[in-house]
Amino acid sequence: MTTSAATSAPLSYKDAGVDIDAGDALVERIKPLAKRTMREGVLAGIGGFGALFEVPKRYREPVLVSGTDGVGTKLKLAFEWNMHDTVGIDLVAMSVNDVLVQGAEPLFFLDYFACGKLDVDTAATVIGGIARGCELSGCALIGGETAEMPGMYPAGEYDLAGFAVGAVEKSKILTGRDVQAGDVVLGLASSGVHSNGFSLVRKCIDRAAGQLPATLDGKPLRDALMAPTRLYVKPVLAALAAHPIKALAHITGGGLLENIPRVLPDGLAAHLAKGSWPQTELFAWLQATAGISDYEMNRTFNNGIGMVVVVDAAQADATAQTLRAHGETVYRIGAIAPVGQGAAVEIR
C-alpha cells in the first residue's frame, strides 16, 4: 500500500520557507561592507566556520573584555517606519560602548540577524549599518549569523544581537576603585534616546496620536527618535591615552540613576547639578507626553547624557578639552561625595 506522502511531490528547504540562495546572496553583499572594517589582528573573517583574530602585539598583558546586547523595541519603529539603515549602528554602539567602560579598545564584532523570511535588501541595509558602526569605532566585523526561521517572526520583522570583544592592558583596567570624594563628573551628550526606553517612547507616540510634533531639535520627528546611539569609542580612547580617567559609565537601561553607581566604590555617591546640561526638545516632549517626574526620566532614559567620565578635579578641564577636540559635547555635571543618607546618585 502506497502512502499519500510517498506519492506527493518532493519538498525542498525553499518550500519549507528557507531560501539558501537568498542567504548566499546576502553573504556576497556583506563581504565588501565587512572588508572596510578590517584592522590589525584579523587573520580570517567572514566565510569560515569561525573568525580568527590575533591580539595586537603592542599589548604586553592583554585582558579581553566582552559585551553583548541588542536594539530592543526600537526595532518596532524601524519596521513601522521602514527605517533600517541606522539600527545596525545602535547594535554596535550598545556593545562597544560597554566594552569601552572597562578602558578597553574594541577589537572585533559579530552579529546575529534572525527573521522569518529573509529580505536580502533589508538585511543588507541593516548589516550595512553594523559595518558602519564598526568602522566608526575602529573594530572589525569578522563574523555573524543570518537565521531564516519561518513562523518564528511576523512578516517584515527581524531581531538583532551583537557581540563585541576588546582588549585592555591588565594594569589599565578601569574598575572605579580609585574614585574618591571631590572627583568631578563629566557628562558626554547623547545623540537622543539611543536604544533604551523605547517601550515608553512607543506609548508616548500612541498617546500623542494626531498631535505629534513635526520636528524635535531641528529634525523630523522620526529622525530625532531613530537617531543612532552615539559611538564614544575613539574620543574616549584618546582621552584615556592622555589623562588618568578614574571611571566611565555608559548610560543605558536604568539611566543615570542606576548606571553611575555601578562604577562607584561603596560609600560614595555622585551628586549631579540639575540644569548643568540642557534638556533637549526630544526629552522634554517625552516627559510632558508621558507625564512623569524628573526621577522617572533619569532612570528610564539617558536624558541627554550618554556617557559619564569621572576624573580628578585637577584633570577635569584638560580631559574635557581633549574630548571636545575629538568631537564630543561635554558638560561638567557634578562631583563625587560621601553617600551619607541619600541615594548613590542625587540630582538637585
Side-chain angles (χ1 to χ4, degrees):
M1 180 177 178
T2 304
T3 65
S4 58
T7 59
S8 299
L11 283 173
S12 69
Y13 209 9
K14 189 171 184 177
D15 294 327
V18 179
D19 189 341
I20 295 175
D21 292 334
D24 291 341
L26 178 60
V27 171
E28 292 306 307
R29 292 269 290 271
I30 291 169
K31 283 180 178 179
L33 303 177
K35 187 176 181 180
R36 291 204 299 267
T37 73
M38 292 300 101
R39 53 157 295 160
E40 60 169 334
V42 177
L43 301 181
I46 288 175
F49 286 99
L52 303 178
F53 192 95
E54 180 180 36
V55 177
K57 291 181 172 59
R58 55 188 163 83
Y59 286 96
R60 294 168 300 179
E61 291 185 288
V63 173
L64 297 181
V65 183
S66 59
T68 182
D69 212 330
V71 181
T73 60
K74 188 174 187 177
L75 290 178
K76 299 293 279 186
L77 294 182
F79 306 149
E80 182 179 344
W81 294 341
N82 194 30
M83 298 176 71
H84 306 287
D85 57 331
T86 58
V87 292
I89 297 177
D90 284 303
L91 182 68
V92 174
M94 295 303 288
S95 288
V96 297
N97 285 343
D98 276 356
V99 166
L100 176 66
V101 163
Q102 311 297 314
E105 170 197 9
L107 298 176
F108 59 85
F109 189 85
L110 297 95
D111 70 276
Y112 176 79
F113 179 100
C115 59
K117 180 173 177 56
L118 181 62
D119 181 306
V120 175
D121 288 337
T122 297
T125 299
V126 172
I127 297 170
I130 294 172
R132 180 61 177 156
C134 288
E135 196 174 355
L136 291 171
S137 43
C139 66
L141 176 60
I142 60 172
E145 171 70 9
T146 301
E148 188 176 24
M149 299 182 285
M152 285 289 289
Y153 298 92
E157 297 194 3
Y158 54 82
D159 201 8
L160 295 172
F163 314 87
V165 174
V168 61
E169 290 287 1
K170 190 173 183 179
S171 62
K172 295 182 178 180
I173 297 172
L174 291 184
T175 64
R177 62 182 177 272
D178 296 327
V179 173
Q180 60 187 6
D183 288 342
V184 167
V185 181
L186 301 176
L188 309 189
S190 67
S191 55
V193 185
H194 286 182
S195 298
N196 297 103
F198 270 87
S199 295
L200 181 53
V201 169
R202 290 165 51 237
K203 287 287 187 182
C204 287
I205 292 170
D206 291 343
R207 175 177 283 189
Q211 298 182 347
L212 288 167
T215 64
L216 289 169
D217 301 306
K219 301 176 184 176
L221 173 72
R222 293 184 178 186
D223 290 345
L225 288 172
M226 294 298 289
T229 305
R230 188 163 181 80
L231 290 153
Y232 296 102
V233 174
K234 290 185 178 180
V236 170
L237 287 177
L240 284 167
H243 309 286
I245 290 171
K246 294 186 176 184
L248 298 165
H250 184 201
I251 309 305
T252 56
L256 291 161
L257 302 185
E258 295 188 12
N259 284 291
I260 297 176
R262 296 167 67 181
V263 299
L264 298 181
D266 291 342
L268 292 180
H271 289 196
L272 308 185
K274 186 177 179 180
S276 57
W277 73 96
Q279 186 180 48
T280 63
E281 290 180 6
L282 170 57
F283 287 111
W285 176 75
L286 287 169
Q287 184 169 16
T289 305
I292 59 177
S293 66
D294 289 348
Y295 175 82
E296 286 298 323
M297 282 295 293
N298 285 314
R299 76 166 189 167
T300 303
F301 301 111
N302 66 60
N303 211 11
I305 298 295
M307 181 74 74
V308 160
V309 181
V310 181
V311 292
D312 186 275
Q315 292 286 329
D317 289 344
T319 303
Q321 184 175 357
T322 297
L323 289 163
R324 291 186 182 111
H326 284 81
E328 294 303 319
T329 299
V330 186
Y331 303 102
R332 189 166 177 150
I333 64 174
I336 304 300
V339 70
Q341 301 299 314
V345 176
E346 295 186 11
I347 305 177
R348 58 187 178 184

